[in-house]
Every structure is written in C-alpha cells, then in structure tokens.
Amino acid sequence: MSRPVINVIINFSTGAGFGNPFILDQSKLGSLDVLADATALIVDVSNQVDSVSTSRGRQLNAEQFNTGVATIRILDQNGDFNPQNPSSPYYTFLNPMRKIAITATYLGVTYPIFAGYITNYNTTTPKFTGDLVYTTISAVDGFRLFQNAQFFGVVGATAGETTGTRVGKILDTISFPASMRDIDTGETTVQADPATQRTALAALQTVAITEYGAVYMDGSGDVVFQDRQLTTSSVAATPVVFNDTGTEIAYFDVKWVLDDSQIYNKATVTREGGSVQTVINQDSIDKYFTHSYNQSGLLMETDAEALQYAQAFIASRQETAIRVDELTLDLQQDNYTAGTIAGLDLDFFDPITITTSQPNSTTLTKTVQVFNITHQIRPDSWKVRFGTAEPIIDGFILDSAVSGILDTSVLSY
C-alpha cells in the first residue's frame, strides 16, 4: 500500500522570505514552487533523512500559540554538515537561521508540515571506524524572528484601526514579507499604539488576545491572524469523524481527560489606560474553588469592551466536561487512506469528532478542535498526534456579550 513520503529541503539563502524553492528536475511541490534567488544554495536532503520530529500548536493555559519546533536527523557519512570541511558542497553556507521546509507527499498531493529557520547543527562523533555519522538539525518557525525583533512603537499605527490592520503594521515595522501573511480584517478596533519597548511577538499576541482571535505560523511558514469571527465559527464546520468501531476513521490512540485545567471563574481584564474589569461566577467558585484569568495592556478602545471580553470568557469557561486531550494516528497502517489524508491535512481550528467504546455498551463521544500537531517520523513509523480542546470561546456567548444580551445573572463584577 502507498505510504506518505517525507520531503526535506534546505535553503541556505539569507532573508526571511522563503516560499518553497523550485529545483529543476527535482521539485516535488507543484503549484507551491517559487524560484529561489540566484545566489541561493538549495538542497533536497530527503534521501538522507533518518528521522523527523515536528511540533506546532497552542499552549492552552496561556491562551496563545507557541513557537513551532522541528528536529531532523540526517545521515552524514561524507561530513557534508561539517562546517570546517572544505570538500563539503555546503562549505561556507552552514550558518544558523537558514531556511528549512518539511512536506509530505501522498497520492500525488503535497502537504506542508513545517517551515522555519535552522538554529543549530549537531553532529555525532564516531567511536569506531565505519560508525554511522548523523547530523541533527534543529529549527524553529517564524515566531523566533518575531521574538528577536524589538521596537519602541508600531510604525504608522493609529487609533480606530482594526486588529487586522494593526497586525499588518507590526509586520511592516519589522519588514516581514507581505507574501508570507494571511491576515483577517478583525472585528475589534484598537487604540493608539502604546509605543513601549517590546518584542514583535508580544505586540502580535496582545492584538490577538484583544480580538479574541489567534496568531500563529502555519505549516508553510506564513504568519496567520484569525479574527474572532473565524475562531468562533470554525467549530460549526463539518468535523472529521474518528471511532474504534470500524465505521469511521480508525485511530491509534486517544487520551480522554476530565480535569479542572480549562476552568476559569474569575477574570480580570484591563485595557491600556483603562480601569480594571473583573467578572466572577460564584457558583463555579463554590464548586471548583477560584480559577483566575488575568489579562492587562489590551488594546480595545473602551472599558465596556474589556468588560464584554471578561463576561464572555467566564461564561464560556465556568464549567468543565470530559474532553479529548490527544488523538494519535498511525500513518504506516495498511488500507489507511482516509486516516493518512486526515493526518496530513487537518490544521488548527479544524473540528473533529471522536468516539471511543466503553464497558457496558457505553461510549465516550466529543467534538473538539485541533490546536496542536506533532509528527514523529522514522523509517518504519509515522505517528501524528493532535492535541485538541474546546473552542477558544463560544461564539454565541461572545456575540451575546457584545450585543448586551448575555445572561449575567450568575456573574458579578
């Protein structure tokens, strides 16, 4: 049976922009190809890859996405990745922050897995003649660039512009390529930039939290900003369905959890220059004890909007229920076409429904969204693990808070 094929391409050219490079007679990327600059050294090391590990996703308790990371172990019998080897075809090119793209090809379709920037090359030391030598490449996605870039203010930022416009101006301030952006307009308008010293990543995340949206790097290396309309409505899309009865897509493993990690019953939200807005749900506190959520320095224009934010957050998080923490797929199974496509195609915010059989003819069933994606790839194994969670916020509750019709009978301020 057909199995997915891993592709790893290193682009040693400088600069942040790196659409997937086109290599004559070697390209696997079809319509995603772009011509690299004339001075670039672009190499396909797919045939030398021993293992690949990638991880991208959201830290649930922090309510924001993390820097994506990747580790690629390459067979290096010729010492090509020895920076002091003048016979290496990459001699003088082996520098940190060069670009690397990982994709998977399955049934003629290529799926992006990770795109980012090399942070280090770590080569093993052979103990005996004939030992296999490996170089392990570590990489991070574009969030690392945003974390490294500091400024005192966003160039051209003005009060009253939408969150999407502000995200674009933050990226303009650090000269991040316009071709590597996927930015929603935004539902919230923001106040003037506070002009404090901070990283571009911190500035982007503040805008995303203000919007009740999300900012992250996708598998192709583009920065994505999703406004709250998409983050709250995406759960209503048709879910991909998994179960253990053979009627839907099978899975390798699933982790069910019932805990208090997603409970919040006291929220303190403060906009830049505004008054503290505090909302509590006493019934939830009596039941679960206090679970606090705090955000400050947000950029909505009025205290009323900050209060709506706090109301919607607590109304969405005051209770808990059993949930799926992780879903793992084994892409090396026979007759697993639908599962392999799901494993390579599912992305952040995509809804999935999982059902697991239990004793006494009972089941556990839940529809959740994908918020973390991890690939563990070896010659005889390809596991994809999806971290899942409830929607960031219930869209109906948020709309009700914004329109002033949210039932606040159990909330106090």
Side-chain angles (χ1 to χ4, degrees):
M1 296 296 294
S2 177
R3 300 285 196 271
V5 176
I6 191 72
N7 313 303
V8 178
I9 294 176
I10 301 174
N11 183 339
F12 288 108
S13 66
T14 58
F18 71 94
N20 294 317
F22 179 80
I23 306 173
L24 290 175
D25 300 324
Q26 296 183 35
S27 178
K28 301 181 178 72
L29 305 181
S31 63
L32 296 179
D33 293 340
V34 296
L35 290 174
D37 63 86
T39 61
L41 176 62
I42 304 164
V43 293
D44 186 339
V45 297
S46 305
N47 291 335
Q48 297 170 255
V49 170
D50 175 71
S51 62
V52 171
S53 173
T54 69
S55 180
R56 301 187 300 117
R58 174 171 160 253
Q59 185 178 353
L60 298 183
N61 291 336
E63 300 289 329
Q64 62 190 23
F65 284 84
N66 292 329
T67 302
V69 297
T71 302
I72 306 95
R73 190 179 191 226
I74 295 174
L75 183 63
D76 189 19
Q77 287 299 87
N78 296 324
D80 291 342
F81 287 90
N82 177 355
Q84 295 185 346
N85 177 11
S87 299
S88 166
Y90 319 137
Y91 186 59
T92 75
F93 288 95
L94 292 170
N95 294 305
M97 303 312 290
R98 298 292 78 92
K99 292 158 283 193
I100 190 164
I102 304 170
T103 62
T105 300
Y106 183 66
L107 299 180
V109 179
T110 296
Y111 300 87
I113 293 178
F114 178 89
Y117 307 89
I118 296 171
T119 55
N120 64 73
Y121 311 82
N122 186 357
T123 302
T124 61
T125 302
K127 293 181 172 56
F128 304 100
T129 301
D131 277 0
L132 295 179
V133 177
Y134 296 93
T135 292
T136 300
I137 294 175
S138 299
V140 293
D141 67 18
F143 266 22
R144 173 68 173 270
L145 305 186
F146 303 154
Q147 178 62 33
N148 288 342
Q150 293 198 19
F151 50 64
F152 284 92
V154 179
V155 176
T158 59
E161 62 194 10
T162 65
T163 48
T165 298
R166 181 62 58 84
V167 166
K169 289 182 178 179
I170 294 170
L171 297 173
D172 289 343
T173 299
I174 62 172
S175 301
F176 192 76
S179 61
M180 298 173 62
R181 308 179 190 181
D182 181 2
I183 302 175
D184 288 347
T185 301
E187 301 288 314
T188 300
T189 57
V190 292
Q191 57 183 283
D193 182 71
T196 55
Q197 184 177 11
R198 61 206 189 278
T199 67
L201 181 59
L204 289 167
Q205 290 174 334
T206 297
V207 174
I209 295 170
T210 300
E211 169 64 33
Y212 226 124
V215 62
Y216 58 88
M217 305 302 299
D218 68 14
S220 298
D222 294 347
V223 59
V224 179
F225 171 68
Q226 291 190 356
D227 63 24
R228 67 171 179 261
Q229 181 179 12
L230 184 55
T231 58
T232 59
S233 65
S234 55
V235 74
T238 302
V240 178
V241 181
F242 301 87
N243 66 27
D244 59 357
T245 65
T247 60
E248 302 292 347
I249 300 174
Y251 53 78
F252 178 78
D253 194 17
V254 66
K255 180 181 178 182
W256 292 89
V257 175
L258 175 59
D259 62 18
D260 68 340
S261 64
Q262 294 300 290
I263 295 174
Y264 291 99
N265 45 38
K266 179 180 180 180
T268 302
V269 178
T270 312
R271 70 185 182 97
E272 187 73 23
S275 302
V276 176
Q277 305 298 311
T278 301
V279 173
I280 68 171
N281 182 288
Q282 191 59 51
D283 289 347
S284 177
I285 291 175
D286 292 343
K287 188 175 182 180
Y288 301 115
F289 304 103
T290 301
H291 290 63
S292 299
Y293 174 79
N294 301 289
Q295 289 289 350
S296 60
L298 302 187
L299 297 176
M300 59 276 290
E301 295 190 282
T302 68
D303 284 343
E305 291 175 282
L307 178 60
Q308 291 162 0
Y309 180 117
Q311 290 173 333
F313 189 88
I314 294 303
S316 289
R317 302 299 185 90
Q318 63 202 20
E319 272 296 339
T320 188
I322 194 166
R323 71 180 193 278
V324 177
D325 207 35
E326 293 179 357
L327 173 73
T328 303
L329 307 182
D330 180 1
L331 305 195
Q332 292 289 70
Q333 294 184 65
D334 291 334
N335 303 312
Y336 200 55
T337 300
T340 300
I341 292 172
L344 299 176
D345 193 47
L346 283 169
D347 205 350
F348 300 143
F349 295 99
D350 287 342
I352 58 177
T353 299
I354 304 105
T355 299
T356 299
S357 300
Q358 294 288 288
N360 260 347
S361 300
T362 61
T363 60
L364 290 169
T365 299
K366 193 78 173 183
T367 296
V368 288
Q369 287 180 295
V370 172
F371 284 110
N372 291 274
I373 305 172
T374 299
H375 288 261
Q376 296 285 347
I377 307 166
R378 294 177 175 81
D380 59 350
S381 174
W382 192 319
K383 299 290 197 310
V384 181
R385 186 174 70 250
F386 295 111
T388 69
E390 303 283 354
I392 286 181
I393 195 169
D394 185 289
F396 175 77
I397 290 175
L398 183 57
D399 290 343
S400 298
V402 171
S403 62
I405 62 172
L406 176 66
D407 180 5
T408 58
S409 59
V410 294
L411 302 178
S412 60
Y413 311 99

